[in-house]
Amino acid sequence: MAGDNAFGFGISQKSQEILGKTPGLLEAVESISQPTAFAPGIELRIVNRRELCAELLHELQQEFGNSDRLEVNFGMAVTNVNTSAQVVTVVDETSNTTLQQPYSLLIAADSANSAVRSRLVEQGQLECQRFYADYTWKALQLPKQPLLSASTF
């Protein structure tokens, strides 16, 4: 998805190890990302956030798409999570209707400022701490460079 304005996402070494536990997943992510030395001793793979989401969804659908084990919902805003009943309350943003969805595994892929995580912390179901690295960086989007290709990185 070159050319879009999505922010780059850094995948840490620990995250890469976790991705490597699912056959083929780390290799799929490596194919759409670039290695970088973020800071001394910190190696990351940088990936376009939209490409990462698309690849993770593709891998899920490849593994579970033809079964009743996977249901992916978009355009839903989480308003409550009941972990004891395994039910999530969502508002469908297109119809503005409230739905109760049962789940066996809830994956909260709703950003660094996760509404799901916030609800779980508020309910005492999850402890969360944020740590900030003492590094500053900025992402720049340059116009297409005619003499530059991915192989030159």
Side-chain angles (χ1 to χ4, degrees):
M1 293 182 202
D4 70 15
N5 292 321
F7 287 102
F9 185 78
I11 302 172
S12 70
Q13 187 62 43
K14 183 172 179 114
S15 296
Q16 292 174 54
E17 290 170 12
I18 292 168
L19 291 172
K21 292 181 181 182
T22 301
L25 186 55
L26 178 60
E27 293 79 8
V29 170
E30 286 175 339
S31 74
I32 59 168
S33 63
Q34 293 294 322
T36 184
F38 181 67
I42 300 176
E43 293 188 19
L44 299 174
R45 293 197 71 85
I46 303 298
V47 64
N48 176 296
R49 201 175 289 242
R50 288 190 186 107
E51 287 182 358
L52 176 62
C53 290
E55 188 60 42
L56 293 174
L57 179 60
H58 172 76
E59 292 294 320
L60 274 173
Q61 289 173 330
Q62 288 288 105
E63 184 70 24
F64 302 108
N66 294 325
S67 71
D68 60 357
R69 295 181 60 197
L70 175 67
E71 180 179 343
V72 178
N73 296 295
F74 295 98
M76 304 283 187
V78 174
T79 58
N80 192 34
V81 178
N82 182 333
T83 55
S84 58
Q86 287 191 292
V87 172
V88 63
T89 305
V90 297
V91 173
D92 183 325
E93 294 176 336
T94 57
S95 66
N96 204 30
T97 56
T98 300
L99 307 167
Q100 300 272 320
Q101 290 285 121
Y103 67 87
S104 57
L105 174 65
L106 177 64
I107 300 175
D110 60 336
S111 84
N113 297 311
S114 169
V116 173
R117 182 177 53 244
S118 295
R119 298 297 178 276
L120 294 174
V121 169
E122 288 169 8
Q123 296 170 6
Q125 299 289 319
L126 179 69
E127 290 184 28
C128 180
Q129 294 181 327
R130 289 186 178 214
F131 298 93
Y132 296 96
D134 191 21
Y135 299 105
T136 303
W137 63 280
K138 183 171 182 102
L140 302 174
Q141 184 167 356
L142 301 173
K144 184 170 176 76
Q145 304 294 307
L147 301 177
L148 191 62
S149 69
S151 64
T152 62
F153 282 85

PDB file of all heavy atoms in Angstrom, residues 63-89:
ATOM      1  N   GLU A  63      -6.102 -19.504   7.662  1.00  0.00           N
ATOM      2  CA  GLU A  63      -6.113 -20.573   8.665  1.00  0.00           C
ATOM      3  C   GLU A  63      -7.522 -20.971   9.090  1.00  0.00           C
ATOM      4  O   GLU A  63      -7.822 -22.140   9.255  1.00  0.00           O
ATOM      5  CB  GLU A  63      -5.294 -20.129   9.886  1.00  0.00           C
ATOM      6  CG  GLU A  63      -5.155 -21.177  10.959  1.00  0.00           C
ATOM      7  CD  GLU A  63      -4.263 -22.344  10.573  1.00  0.00           C
ATOM      8  OE1 GLU A  63      -3.392 -22.184   9.697  1.00  0.00           O
ATOM      9  OE2 GLU A  63      -4.437 -23.420  11.168  1.00  0.00           O
ATOM     10  N   PHE A  64      -8.403 -19.982   9.280  1.00  0.00           N
ATOM     11  CA  PHE A  64      -9.703 -20.261   9.893  1.00  0.00           C
ATOM     12  C   PHE A  64     -10.905 -19.790   9.074  1.00  0.00           C
ATOM     13  O   PHE A  64     -12.035 -19.909   9.523  1.00  0.00           O
ATOM     14  CB  PHE A  64      -9.785 -19.588  11.268  1.00  0.00           C
ATOM     15  CG  PHE A  64      -8.717 -20.024  12.206  1.00  0.00           C
ATOM     16  CD1 PHE A  64      -7.684 -19.166  12.546  1.00  0.00           C
ATOM     17  CD2 PHE A  64      -8.725 -21.292  12.758  1.00  0.00           C
ATOM     18  CE1 PHE A  64      -6.690 -19.560  13.417  1.00  0.00           C
ATOM     19  CE2 PHE A  64      -7.733 -21.693  13.628  1.00  0.00           C
ATOM     20  CZ  PHE A  64      -6.703 -20.826  13.956  1.00  0.00           C
ATOM     21  N   GLY A  65     -10.687 -19.244   7.883  1.00  0.00           N
ATOM     22  CA  GLY A  65     -11.766 -18.619   7.124  1.00  0.00           C
ATOM     23  C   GLY A  65     -12.882 -19.540   6.698  1.00  0.00           C
ATOM     24  O   GLY A  65     -14.007 -19.104   6.511  1.00  0.00           O
ATOM     25  N   ASN A  66     -12.621 -20.811   6.535  1.00  0.00           N
ATOM     26  CA  ASN A  66     -13.656 -21.747   6.099  1.00  0.00           C
ATOM     27  C   ASN A  66     -14.216 -22.549   7.267  1.00  0.00           C
ATOM     28  O   ASN A  66     -14.598 -23.686   7.114  1.00  0.00           O
ATOM     29  CB  ASN A  66     -13.092 -22.702   5.034  1.00  0.00           C
ATOM     30  CG  ASN A  66     -12.729 -21.959   3.773  1.00  0.00           C
ATOM     31  OD1 ASN A  66     -13.394 -20.998   3.403  1.00  0.00           O
ATOM     32  ND2 ASN A  66     -11.659 -22.382   3.112  1.00  0.00           N
ATOM     33  N   SER A  67     -14.237 -21.937   8.432  1.00  0.00           N
ATOM     34  CA  SER A  67     -14.765 -22.638   9.606  1.00  0.00           C
ATOM     35  C   SER A  67     -15.612 -21.660  10.406  1.00  0.00           C
ATOM     36  O   SER A  67     -15.676 -20.480  10.103  1.00  0.00           O
ATOM     37  CB  SER A  67     -13.609 -23.160  10.472  1.00  0.00           C
ATOM     38  OG  SER A  67     -12.962 -22.087  11.118  1.00  0.00           O
ATOM     39  N   ASP A  68     -16.243 -22.178  11.436  1.00  0.00           N
ATOM     40  CA  ASP A  68     -17.037 -21.300  12.312  1.00  0.00           C
ATOM     41  C   ASP A  68     -16.190 -20.776  13.475  1.00  0.00           C
ATOM     42  O   ASP A  68     -16.713 -20.216  14.416  1.00  0.00           O
ATOM     43  CB  ASP A  68     -18.271 -22.032  12.829  1.00  0.00           C
ATOM     44  CG  ASP A  68     -17.929 -23.277  13.644  1.00  0.00           C
ATOM     45  OD1 ASP A  68     -16.731 -23.610  13.759  1.00  0.00           O
ATOM     46  OD2 ASP A  68     -18.859 -23.916  14.157  1.00  0.00           O
ATOM     47  N   ARG A  69     -14.880 -20.927  13.376  1.00  0.00           N
ATOM     48  CA  ARG A  69     -13.989 -20.504  14.457  1.00  0.00           C
ATOM     49  C   ARG A  69     -13.561 -19.052  14.362  1.00  0.00           C
ATOM     50  O   ARG A  69     -12.888 -18.548  15.249  1.00  0.00           O
ATOM     51  CB  ARG A  69     -12.744 -21.393  14.481  1.00  0.00           C
ATOM     52  CG  ARG A  69     -13.075 -22.836  14.827  1.00  0.00           C
ATOM     53  CD  ARG A  69     -11.848 -23.688  14.875  1.00  0.00           C
ATOM     54  NE  ARG A  69     -10.920 -23.190  15.880  1.00  0.00           N
ATOM     55  CZ  ARG A  69      -9.641 -23.518  15.934  1.00  0.00           C
ATOM     56  NH1 ARG A  69      -9.131 -24.327  15.046  1.00  0.00           N
ATOM     57  NH2 ARG A  69      -8.866 -23.023  16.862  1.00  0.00           N
ATOM     58  N   LEU A  70     -13.907 -18.355  13.270  1.00  0.00           N
ATOM     59  CA  LEU A  70     -13.448 -16.987  13.080  1.00  0.00           C
ATOM     60  C   LEU A  70     -14.600 -16.094  12.652  1.00  0.00           C
ATOM     61  O   LEU A  70     -15.327 -16.417  11.717  1.00  0.00           O
ATOM     62  CB  LEU A  70     -12.349 -16.940  12.008  1.00  0.00           C
ATOM     63  CG  LEU A  70     -11.854 -15.548  11.609  1.00  0.00           C
ATOM     64  CD1 LEU A  70     -11.116 -14.893  12.760  1.00  0.00           C
ATOM     65  CD2 LEU A  70     -10.973 -15.632  10.374  1.00  0.00           C
ATOM     66  N   GLU A  71     -14.760 -14.999  13.367  1.00  0.00           N
ATOM     67  CA  GLU A  71     -15.681 -13.947  12.950  1.00  0.00           C
ATOM     68  C   GLU A  71     -14.959 -12.625  13.156  1.00  0.00           C
ATOM     69  O   GLU A  71     -14.535 -12.310  14.263  1.00  0.00           O
ATOM     70  CB  GLU A  71     -16.959 -13.971  13.782  1.00  0.00           C
ATOM     71  CG  GLU A  71     -17.940 -12.894  13.380  1.00  0.00           C
ATOM     72  CD  GLU A  71     -19.219 -12.917  14.188  1.00  0.00           C
ATOM     73  OE1 GLU A  71     -19.509 -13.935  14.837  1.00  0.00           O
ATOM     74  OE2 GLU A  71     -19.915 -11.897  14.170  1.00  0.00           O
ATOM     75  N   VAL A  72     -14.775 -11.886  12.092  1.00  0.00           N
ATOM     76  CA  VAL A  72     -14.099 -10.601  12.149  1.00  0.00           C
ATOM     77  C   VAL A  72     -15.143  -9.530  11.880  1.00  0.00           C
ATOM     78  O   VAL A  72     -15.892  -9.614  10.909  1.00  0.00           O
ATOM     79  CB  VAL A  72     -12.965 -10.510  11.100  1.00  0.00           C
ATOM     80  CG1 VAL A  72     -12.306  -9.148  11.138  1.00  0.00           C
ATOM     81  CG2 VAL A  72     -11.937 -11.611  11.336  1.00  0.00           C
ATOM     82  N   ASN A  73     -15.207  -8.531  12.762  1.00  0.00           N
ATOM     83  CA  ASN A  73     -16.166  -7.445  12.622  1.00  0.00           C
ATOM     84  C   ASN A  73     -15.436  -6.123  12.482  1.00  0.00           C
ATOM     85  O   ASN A  73     -14.527  -5.826  13.242  1.00  0.00           O
ATOM     86  CB  ASN A  73     -17.080  -7.380  13.850  1.00  0.00           C
ATOM     87  CG  ASN A  73     -17.934  -8.621  13.992  1.00  0.00           C
ATOM     88  OD1 ASN A  73     -18.773  -8.884  13.156  1.00  0.00           O
ATOM     89  ND2 ASN A  73     -17.697  -9.390  15.033  1.00  0.00           N
ATOM     90  N   PHE A  74     -15.877  -5.318  11.535  1.00  0.00           N
ATOM     91  CA  PHE A  74     -15.343  -3.978  11.343  1.00  0.00           C
ATOM     92  C   PHE A  74     -16.462  -2.976  11.608  1.00  0.00           C
ATOM     93  O   PHE A  74     -17.643  -3.304  11.517  1.00  0.00           O
ATOM     94  CB  PHE A  74     -14.815  -3.801   9.913  1.00  0.00           C
ATOM     95  CG  PHE A  74     -13.643  -4.684   9.591  1.00  0.00           C
ATOM     96  CD1 PHE A  74     -13.815  -5.878   8.909  1.00  0.00           C
ATOM     97  CD2 PHE A  74     -12.370  -4.317   9.989  1.00  0.00           C
ATOM     98  CE1 PHE A  74     -12.738  -6.686   8.619  1.00  0.00           C
ATOM     99  CE2 PHE A  74     -11.287  -5.111   9.699  1.00  0.00           C
ATOM    100  CZ  PHE A  74     -11.465  -6.305   9.010  1.00  0.00           C
ATOM    101  N   GLY A  75     -16.092  -1.742  11.897  1.00  0.00           N
ATOM    102  CA  GLY A  75     -17.089  -0.697  12.092  1.00  0.00           C
ATOM    103  C   GLY A  75     -17.882  -0.856  13.374  1.00  0.00           C
ATOM    104  O   GLY A  75     -19.026  -0.421  13.454  1.00  0.00           O
ATOM    105  N   MET A  76     -17.275  -1.477  14.358  1.00  0.00           N
ATOM    106  CA  MET A  76     -17.927  -1.688  15.648  1.00  0.00           C
ATOM    107  C   MET A  76     -17.135  -0.953  16.727  1.00  0.00           C
ATOM    108  O   MET A  76     -15.922  -1.076  16.791  1.00  0.00           O
ATOM    109  CB  MET A  76     -17.976  -3.172  16.013  1.00  0.00           C
ATOM    110  CG  MET A  76     -18.648  -4.044  14.991  1.00  0.00           C
ATOM    111  SD  MET A  76     -20.410  -3.847  15.109  1.00  0.00           S
ATOM    112  CE  MET A  76     -20.951  -5.113  13.992  1.00  0.00           C
ATOM    113  N   ALA A  77     -17.846  -0.197  17.550  1.00  0.00           N
ATOM    114  CA  ALA A  77     -17.198   0.492  18.673  1.00  0.00           C
ATOM    115  C   ALA A  77     -17.532  -0.263  19.951  1.00  0.00           C
ATOM    116  O   ALA A  77     -18.710  -0.456  20.279  1.00  0.00           O
ATOM    117  CB  ALA A  77     -17.691   1.936  18.764  1.00  0.00           C
ATOM    118  N   VAL A  78     -16.513  -0.702  20.664  1.00  0.00           N
ATOM    119  CA  VAL A  78     -16.720  -1.445  21.904  1.00  0.00           C
ATOM    120  C   VAL A  78     -17.143  -0.483  23.015  1.00  0.00           C
ATOM    121  O   VAL A  78     -16.497   0.536  23.232  1.00  0.00           O
ATOM    122  CB  VAL A  78     -15.430  -2.191  22.312  1.00  0.00           C
ATOM    123  CG1 VAL A  78     -15.579  -2.850  23.675  1.00  0.00           C
ATOM    124  CG2 VAL A  78     -15.050  -3.200  21.252  1.00  0.00           C
ATOM    125  N   THR A  79     -18.241  -0.813  23.688  1.00  0.00           N
ATOM    126  CA  THR A  79     -18.701   0.003  24.809  1.00  0.00           C
ATOM    127  C   THR A  79     -18.549  -0.715  26.141  1.00  0.00           C
ATOM    128  O   THR A  79     -18.512  -0.075  27.180  1.00  0.00           O
ATOM    129  CB  THR A  79     -20.166   0.439  24.625  1.00  0.00           C
ATOM    130  OG1 THR A  79     -20.992  -0.721  24.496  1.00  0.00           O
ATOM    131  CG2 THR A  79     -20.308   1.325  23.394  1.00  0.00           C
ATOM    132  N   ASN A  80     -18.463  -2.060  26.108  1.00  0.00           N
ATOM    133  CA  ASN A  80     -18.297  -2.809  27.355  1.00  0.00           C
ATOM    134  C   ASN A  80     -17.763  -4.205  27.046  1.00  0.00           C
ATOM    135  O   ASN A  80     -18.035  -4.756  25.986  1.00  0.00           O
ATOM    136  CB  ASN A  80     -19.630  -2.918  28.101  1.00  0.00           C
ATOM    137  CG  ASN A  80     -19.444  -3.422  29.519  1.00  0.00           C
ATOM    138  OD1 ASN A  80     -18.443  -3.137  30.178  1.00  0.00           O
ATOM    139  ND2 ASN A  80     -20.394  -4.181  30.003  1.00  0.00           N
ATOM    140  N   VAL A  81     -17.021  -4.741  28.001  1.00  0.00           N
ATOM    141  CA  VAL A  81     -16.526  -6.111  27.912  1.00  0.00           C
ATOM    142  C   VAL A  81     -16.868  -6.804  29.218  1.00  0.00           C
ATOM    143  O   VAL A  81     -16.518  -6.323  30.291  1.00  0.00           O
ATOM    144  CB  VAL A  81     -14.995  -6.157  27.687  1.00  0.00           C
ATOM    145  CG1 VAL A  81     -14.505  -7.594  27.640  1.00  0.00           C
ATOM    146  CG2 VAL A  81     -14.604  -5.416  26.430  1.00  0.00           C
ATOM    147  N   ASN A  82     -17.572  -7.927  29.133  1.00  0.00           N
ATOM    148  CA  ASN A  82     -17.900  -8.736  30.309  1.00  0.00           C
ATOM    149  C   ASN A  82     -17.108 -10.025  30.182  1.00  0.00           C
ATOM    150  O   ASN A  82     -17.499 -10.943  29.462  1.00  0.00           O
ATOM    151  CB  ASN A  82     -19.405  -9.012  30.361  1.00  0.00           C
ATOM    152  CG  ASN A  82     -19.811  -9.798  31.589  1.00  0.00           C
ATOM    153  OD1 ASN A  82     -19.027 -10.563  32.145  1.00  0.00           O
ATOM    154  ND2 ASN A  82     -21.044  -9.609  32.009  1.00  0.00           N
ATOM    155  N   THR A  83     -15.969 -10.078  30.878  1.00  0.00           N
ATOM    156  CA  THR A  83     -15.082 -11.232  30.725  1.00  0.00           C
ATOM    157  C   THR A  83     -15.653 -12.490  31.377  1.00  0.00           C
ATOM    158  O   THR A  83     -15.394 -13.585  30.894  1.00  0.00           O
ATOM    159  CB  THR A  83     -13.687 -10.937  31.312  1.00  0.00           C
ATOM    160  OG1 THR A  83     -13.823 -10.519  32.666  1.00  0.00           O
ATOM    161  CG2 THR A  83     -12.982  -9.858  30.498  1.00  0.00           C
ATOM    162  N   SER A  84     -16.428 -12.356  32.441  1.00  0.00           N
ATOM    163  CA  SER A  84     -16.967 -13.561  33.090  1.00  0.00           C
ATOM    164  C   SER A  84     -18.026 -14.224  32.214  1.00  0.00           C
ATOM    165  O   SER A  84     -18.120 -15.442  32.163  1.00  0.00           O
ATOM    166  CB  SER A  84     -17.518 -13.244  34.475  1.00  0.00           C
ATOM    167  OG  SER A  84     -18.527 -12.269  34.394  1.00  0.00           O
ATOM    168  N   ALA A  85     -18.834 -13.439  31.497  1.00  0.00           N
ATOM    169  CA  ALA A  85     -19.844 -13.998  30.594  1.00  0.00           C
ATOM    170  C   ALA A  85     -19.308 -14.172  29.179  1.00  0.00           C
ATOM    171  O   ALA A  85     -19.989 -14.743  28.327  1.00  0.00           O
ATOM    172  CB  ALA A  85     -21.073 -13.098  30.562  1.00  0.00           C
ATOM    173  N   GLN A  86     -18.106 -13.689  28.909  1.00  0.00           N
ATOM    174  CA  GLN A  86     -17.484 -13.696  27.584  1.00  0.00           C
ATOM    175  C   GLN A  86     -18.423 -13.082  26.546  1.00  0.00           C
ATOM    176  O   GLN A  86     -18.736 -13.669  25.514  1.00  0.00           O
ATOM    177  CB  GLN A  86     -17.059 -15.100  27.179  1.00  0.00           C
ATOM    178  CG  GLN A  86     -15.844 -15.575  27.953  1.00  0.00           C
ATOM    179  CD  GLN A  86     -15.266 -16.838  27.391  1.00  0.00           C
ATOM    180  OE1 GLN A  86     -15.883 -17.892  27.473  1.00  0.00           O
ATOM    181  NE2 GLN A  86     -14.081 -16.731  26.811  1.00  0.00           N
ATOM    182  N   VAL A  87     -18.833 -11.848  26.864  1.00  0.00           N
ATOM    183  CA  VAL A  87     -19.706 -11.087  25.972  1.00  0.00           C
ATOM    184  C   VAL A  87     -19.127  -9.684  25.837  1.00  0.00           C
ATOM    185  O   VAL A  87     -18.729  -9.068  26.827  1.00  0.00           O
ATOM    186  CB  VAL A  87     -21.147 -11.001  26.531  1.00  0.00           C
ATOM    187  CG1 VAL A  87     -22.008 -10.060  25.702  1.00  0.00           C
ATOM    188  CG2 VAL A  87     -21.779 -12.386  26.585  1.00  0.00           C
ATOM    189  N   VAL A  88     -19.095  -9.190  24.610  1.00  0.00           N
ATOM    190  CA  VAL A  88     -18.653  -7.831  24.354  1.00  0.00           C
ATOM    191  C   VAL A  88     -19.864  -7.054  23.828  1.00  0.00           C
ATOM    192  O   VAL A  88     -20.645  -7.569  23.033  1.00  0.00           O
ATOM    193  CB  VAL A  88     -17.456  -7.794  23.371  1.00  0.00           C
ATOM    194  CG1 VAL A  88     -17.811  -8.344  22.018  1.00  0.00           C
ATOM    195  CG2 VAL A  88     -16.904  -6.394  23.236  1.00  0.00           C
ATOM    196  N   THR A  89     -20.035  -5.831  24.330  1.00  0.00           N
ATOM    197  CA  THR A  89     -21.105  -4.956  23.859  1.00  0.00           C
ATOM    198  C   THR A  89     -20.494  -3.980  22.863  1.00  0.00           C
ATOM    199  O   THR A  89     -19.498  -3.330  23.170  1.00  0.00           O
ATOM    200  CB  THR A  89     -21.750  -4.189  25.028  1.00  0.00           C
ATOM    201  OG1 THR A  89     -22.191  -5.138  26.010  1.00  0.00           O
ATOM    202  CG2 THR A  89     -22.932  -3.360  24.552  1.00  0.00           C
TER     203      THR A  89
END
